[in-house]
Every structure is written in structure tokens, then in C-alpha cells.
Coordinates of all heavy atoms in Angstrom, one line a residue:
N1 N 101.7 -10.0 28.2 CA 102.9 -9.7 27.5 C 104.1 -9.5 28.5 O 103.9 -9.1 29.6 CB 102.7 -8.4 26.7 CG 102.4 -7.2 27.6 OD1 101.3 -7.2 28.2 ND2 103.2 -6.2 27.6
I2 N 105.3 -9.8 28.0 CA 106.5 -9.7 28.8 C 107.6 -9.0 27.9 O 107.8 -9.4 26.8 CB 107.0 -11.1 29.2 CG1 106.0 -11.9 30.0 CG2 108.3 -11.0 29.9 CD1 106.4 -13.3 30.4
P3 N 108.2 -8.0 28.5 CA 107.9 -7.3 29.8 C 106.7 -6.4 29.7 O 106.3 -6.0 28.6 CB 109.2 -6.6 30.0 CG 109.7 -6.2 28.7 CD 109.4 -7.4 27.8
N4 N 106.3 -6.0 30.8 CA 105.1 -5.1 30.9 C 105.2 -4.3 32.3 O 105.2 -5.0 33.3 CB 103.8 -5.8 30.8 CG 102.6 -4.9 30.6 OD1 102.8 -3.8 30.1 ND2 101.4 -5.4 31.1
P5 N 105.4 -3.0 32.2 CA 105.5 -2.1 31.1 C 106.8 -2.4 30.2 O 107.7 -3.0 30.7 CB 105.6 -0.7 31.7 CG 105.1 -0.9 33.1 CD 105.5 -2.3 33.5
F6 N 106.8 -1.8 29.0 CA 108.0 -2.0 28.1 C 108.3 -0.7 27.4 O 107.5 0.3 27.4 CB 107.7 -3.1 27.1 CG 106.7 -2.7 26.1 CD1 107.1 -2.3 24.8 CD2 105.3 -2.8 26.3 CE1 106.2 -2.0 23.8 CE2 104.4 -2.4 25.3 CZ 104.8 -2.0 24.1
K7 N 109.5 -0.6 26.9 CA 109.9 0.6 26.2 C 110.3 0.3 24.7 O 109.8 1.0 23.8 CB 111.1 1.2 26.9 CG 111.6 2.5 26.3 CD 112.8 3.1 27.1 CE 113.2 4.4 26.5 NZ 114.4 5.0 27.3
E8 N 111.1 -0.7 24.5 CA 111.6 -1.0 23.1 C 110.7 -2.0 22.5 O 110.3 -1.9 21.3 CB 113.0 -1.4 23.2 CG 114.0 -0.3 23.6 CD 115.4 -0.8 23.6 OE1 115.7 -2.0 23.4 OE2 116.3 0.1 23.8
Q9 N 110.5 -3.2 23.1 CA 109.6 -4.2 22.5 C 109.1 -5.1 23.6 O 109.7 -5.2 24.7 CB 110.3 -5.0 21.5 CG 111.5 -5.8 21.9 CD 112.1 -6.7 20.8 OE1 112.7 -7.7 21.1 NE2 112.0 -6.2 19.6
T10 N 108.0 -5.8 23.4 CA 107.4 -6.7 24.3 C 106.9 -7.9 23.5 O 106.7 -7.8 22.3 CB 106.3 -6.1 25.1 OG1 105.8 -7.0 26.1 CG2 105.1 -5.7 24.2
T11 N 106.7 -9.1 24.2 CA 106.3 -10.3 23.5 C 104.9 -10.7 24.1 O 104.8 -10.9 25.3 CB 107.3 -11.4 23.7 OG1 108.6 -11.0 23.1 CG2 106.9 -12.7 23.0
I12 N 104.0 -11.0 23.2 CA 102.6 -11.5 23.6 C 102.6 -13.0 23.2 O 102.8 -13.3 22.0 CB 101.5 -10.7 22.9 CG1 101.6 -9.2 23.2 CG2 100.2 -11.3 23.2 CD1 100.6 -8.4 22.4
S13 N 102.4 -13.8 24.2 CA 102.3 -15.3 23.9 C 100.9 -15.7 23.9 O 100.0 -15.1 24.5 CB 103.1 -16.0 25.0 OG 104.5 -15.7 25.0
F14 N 100.6 -16.9 23.2 CA 99.3 -17.4 23.0 C 99.3 -18.8 22.7 O 100.4 -19.4 22.4 CB 98.6 -16.6 21.9 CG 99.4 -16.5 20.7 CD1 99.5 -17.5 19.8 CD2 100.1 -15.3 20.4 CE1 100.2 -17.4 18.6 CE2 100.8 -15.2 19.2 CZ 100.9 -16.3 18.3
F15 N 98.2 -19.5 22.8 CA 98.0 -20.8 22.3 C 96.8 -20.9 21.4 O 95.7 -20.4 21.7 CB 97.7 -21.8 23.5 CG 97.4 -23.2 23.0 CD1 98.4 -24.1 22.6 CD2 96.1 -23.7 22.9 CE1 98.1 -25.4 22.2 CE2 95.8 -24.9 22.5 CZ 96.8 -25.8 22.1
I16 N 97.0 -21.4 20.1 CA 96.0 -21.5 19.1 C 95.8 -23.0 18.8 O 96.7 -23.7 18.4 CB 96.4 -20.8 17.8 CG1 96.8 -19.3 18.1 CG2 95.2 -20.8 16.8 CD1 95.7 -18.5 18.8
P17 N 94.6 -23.5 19.0 CA 94.3 -25.0 18.6 C 94.6 -25.3 17.2 O 94.5 -24.4 16.3 CB 92.8 -25.1 19.0 CG 92.5 -24.0 19.9 CD 93.4 -22.9 19.5
E18 N 95.0 -26.5 16.9 CA 95.3 -26.9 15.5 C 94.0 -26.8 14.6 O 94.1 -26.7 13.4 CB 95.8 -28.4 15.5 CG 97.1 -28.6 16.3 CD 98.3 -27.9 15.5 OE1 98.1 -27.7 14.3 OE2 99.3 -27.7 16.1
T19 N 92.8 -26.9 15.3 CA 91.6 -26.9 14.5 C 91.1 -25.5 14.1 O 90.2 -25.4 13.3 CB 90.5 -27.6 15.3 OG1 90.3 -27.0 16.6 CG2 90.8 -29.1 15.5
A20 N 91.8 -24.5 14.7 CA 91.3 -23.1 14.4 C 91.6 -22.8 12.9 O 92.7 -23.1 12.4 CB 92.1 -22.2 15.3
S21 N 90.7 -22.1 12.3 CA 90.8 -21.7 10.9 C 91.4 -20.3 10.8 O 92.0 -19.9 9.8 CB 89.5 -21.8 10.2 OG 88.5 -21.0 10.8
G22 N 91.2 -19.5 11.8 CA 91.7 -18.1 11.8 C 91.9 -17.5 13.1 O 91.2 -17.8 14.1
A23 N 93.0 -16.8 13.3 CA 93.3 -16.2 14.6 C 94.1 -14.9 14.4 O 94.9 -14.7 13.4 CB 94.2 -17.2 15.4
S24 N 93.9 -13.9 15.3 CA 94.5 -12.6 15.2 C 94.5 -11.9 16.6 O 93.7 -12.3 17.4 CB 93.9 -11.8 14.2 OG 92.5 -11.6 14.4
I25 N 95.5 -11.0 16.8 CA 95.5 -10.2 18.0 C 95.2 -8.8 17.5 O 95.8 -8.2 16.6 CB 96.9 -10.3 18.6 CG1 97.1 -11.7 19.2 CG2 97.0 -9.2 19.7 CD1 98.5 -11.9 19.8
H26 N 94.3 -8.1 18.3 CA 93.9 -6.7 18.0 C 94.3 -5.8 19.1 O 94.0 -6.1 20.3 CB 92.4 -6.6 17.7 CG 92.0 -7.5 16.6 ND1 91.6 -7.0 15.3 CD2 91.8 -8.8 16.5 CE1 91.3 -8.0 14.5 NE2 91.3 -9.1 15.2
I27 N 95.0 -4.7 18.8 CA 95.5 -3.8 19.8 C 94.6 -2.5 19.7 O 94.5 -1.9 18.6 CB 97.0 -3.5 19.6 CG1 97.8 -4.8 19.7 CG2 97.5 -2.5 20.7 CD1 99.3 -4.6 19.4
Y28 N 94.1 -2.1 20.9 CA 93.2 -0.9 20.9 C 93.8 0.1 21.9 O 94.5 -0.2 22.9 CB 91.8 -1.3 21.4 CG 91.2 -2.4 20.6 CD1 91.3 -3.7 20.9 CD2 90.4 -2.0 19.5 CE1 90.7 -4.7 20.2 CE2 89.8 -3.1 18.7 CZ 90.0 -4.4 19.1 OH 89.4 -5.4 18.3
N29 N 93.5 1.4 21.6 CA 93.9 2.5 22.6 C 92.7 2.5 23.6 O 91.7 1.8 23.5 CB 94.2 3.8 22.0 CG 93.0 4.3 21.2 OD1 91.8 3.9 21.3 ND2 93.3 5.3 20.2
L30 N 92.8 3.4 24.6 CA 91.8 3.5 25.6 C 90.5 4.1 25.1 O 89.4 4.0 25.8 CB 92.3 4.3 26.8 CG 93.5 3.7 27.6 CD1 93.8 4.5 28.8 CD2 93.1 2.3 28.0
Q31 N 90.5 4.7 23.9 CA 89.3 5.2 23.3 C 88.5 4.1 22.5 O 87.5 4.4 21.9 CB 89.6 6.4 22.4 CG 89.9 7.7 23.2 CD 91.3 7.6 23.8 OE1 92.2 7.1 23.2 NE2 91.4 8.1 25.1
G32 N 89.1 2.9 22.5 CA 88.5 1.8 21.8 C 88.8 1.7 20.3 O 88.3 0.9 19.6
K33 N 89.7 2.6 19.8 CA 90.1 2.6 18.4 C 91.2 1.5 18.2 O 92.2 1.5 18.9 CB 90.6 3.9 18.0 CG 91.1 4.0 16.6 CD 91.6 5.4 16.2 CE 92.1 5.5 14.8 NZ 92.6 6.8 14.4

């Protein structure tokens, strides 16, 4: 992600193949939640 660290907002970039049927980003705290 850019910027990192951040305060107001940050952007996570990715590449998803055209053949993919489903995609998602999951954010966890250090306790794994």
C-alpha cells in the first residue's frame, strides 16, 4: 500500500486475472481478527 505508514488514506494496488471468478482483500488486526 502507498503511502505506508498513512494517516488519512492509503491505496492498495493489485492485479486480478480476467479468468478469476471472485476476488477480495481482507484486513486483519494483529490478533488475527
